[in-house]
Amino acid sequence: MKASESQQADLLSLSNLDLEITRTRVAIAALTSGEAFAALRQSQRDAAASLIESRNQLDSVELELSRAEADLKLVEQRIDKDNQRLNQTSSSKDAQGIQAELETLKKRKSDLEDFELSILERKEQAEAAYQVIIHDKKLIDDELATKESENEAQIIKLRSGLDLLTQQRNQQASRIQSDLLELYEKKSSRGLAIGRLVNRECGACRITIGATALAEISGLARDEVATCPDCQAILVR
Ligand SMILES: [Zn+2]
């Protein structure tokens, strides 16, 4: 195939634009996949699960506390009632019975107060743990939000770069003769379609061309399209 040296050089520029477009697409795909945040998203899910668990623990301690408070109130009411009965009774036998019951109730009251204190201690611990988890989760949420918005900005930038590259590519392609462009596109579907011949090395496959093949290529007219004997890419001399 015949193509002027400037056409061949234009085709090489087109190939460089195509490479840049491919690299940009790969970069956009990697950013879009969000793979970089997989670990952070897992941490966020773990933190959300811990938060629920911690909230449940706190709720259960609070429930226990309200039950203990209700029990204590009942005992206190009973003590008040017994004291009233004690003041009103004139029977010493009844008074003895009431006093015995009061002793039992006071012991019960003291036990319940101790129990309530122990629950309050556990509630304090559960609250502290809950606050720590809220704090940690917020750090993760904030970090993820920042990284996602940076990622989004990067994608937007790359996409606008890709638009520009595509325009340049189409302009460049319109300057190239159709049979050469067709050959390039056919070869592109199989791999790198074009490379510059530098120091006996093919710019596409990087293989050093043997002396015989090199002599053949060198013998071709400058406007004859040469191809690499190894990778079949168009060789720009
Ligand atoms: Zn080659």
Side-chain angles (χ1 to χ4, degrees):
M1 185 185 291
K2 295 266 181 199
S4 70
E5 284 181 87
S6 84
Q7 276 286 289
Q8 293 185 36
D10 281 348
L11 190 63
L12 197 58
S13 300
L14 180 76
S15 165
N16 287 333
L17 285 167
D18 279 343
L19 282 176
E20 193 59 34
I21 285 171
T22 303
R23 273 197 288 268
T24 307
R25 286 204 174 116
V26 167
I28 290 172
L31 290 173
T32 310
S33 77
E35 215 175 295
F37 313 125
L40 206 51
R41 287 212 178 97
Q42 185 57 52
S43 301
Q44 191 183 43
R45 281 194 290 273
D46 292 346
S50 298
L51 190 66
I52 291 170
E53 199 186 325
S54 178
R55 181 68 250 183
N56 286 342
Q57 274 172 11
L58 188 56
D59 285 347
S60 117
V61 176
E62 279 169 351
L63 184 66
E64 217 182 322
L65 182 65
S66 66
R67 276 179 188 153
E69 279 167 350
D71 286 350
L72 189 60
K73 207 175 166 191
L74 277 177
V75 172
E76 282 167 348
Q77 282 169 352
R78 191 81 184 270
I79 288 172
D80 286 348
K81 222 172 173 179
D82 278 2
N83 278 327
Q84 277 171 22
R85 281 171 57 211
L86 194 60
N87 288 336
Q88 284 159 4
T89 187
S90 51
S91 148
S92 66
K93 197 184 161 214
D94 282 357
Q96 267 179 2
I98 295 167
Q99 257 161 354
E101 195 182 281
L102 271 170
E103 285 310 308
T104 311
L105 285 171
K106 277 174 190 163
K107 172 81 177 70
R108 171 91 178 122
K109 188 187 169 199
S110 163
D111 287 349
L112 280 172
E113 280 168 346
D114 288 347
F115 184 50
E116 196 182 352
L117 274 179
S118 80
I119 299 172
L120 280 169
E121 241 169 63
R122 276 192 285 130
K123 189 186 165 212
E124 216 169 89
Q125 286 163 0
E127 258 166 1
Y130 183 61
Q131 291 306 324
V132 166
I133 290 168
I134 286 181
H135 175 77
D136 289 353
K137 185 175 179 295
K138 191 179 179 315
L139 288 182
I140 294 169
D141 289 347
D142 289 351
E143 190 185 348
L144 191 58
T146 305
K147 289 205 167 155
E148 276 176 339
S149 94
E150 281 169 4
N151 193 62
E152 197 51 44
Q154 188 67 15
I155 290 171
I156 289 168
K157 200 174 140 193
L158 284 174
R159 279 193 179 134
S160 102
L162 184 62
D163 285 347
L164 200 68
L165 278 169
T166 307
Q167 279 173 26
Q168 285 174 348
R169 194 260 173 216
N170 292 341
Q171 269 172 18
Q172 185 69 8
S174 70
R175 283 201 279 269
I176 294 162
Q177 66 191 56
S178 59
D179 57 347
L180 184 62
L181 189 62
E182 210 173 293
L183 179 69
Y184 167 77
E185 273 162 3
K186 210 164 117 191
K187 285 180 185 290
S188 285
S189 64
R190 290 197 294 263
L192 208 47
I194 186 167
R196 190 177 278 285
L197 178 65
V198 180
N199 299 330
R200 298 177 54 191
E201 193 186 272
C202 163
C205 66
R206 302 283 172 197
I207 289 173
T208 301
I209 294 166
T212 317
L214 193 68
E216 270 176 37
I217 291 165
S218 303
L220 292 173
R222 302 301 293 175
D223 65 350
E224 190 66 43
V225 174
T227 52
C228 168
D230 288 296
C231 71
Q232 310 306 316
I234 297 164
L235 267 182
V236 179
R237 289 163 284 164

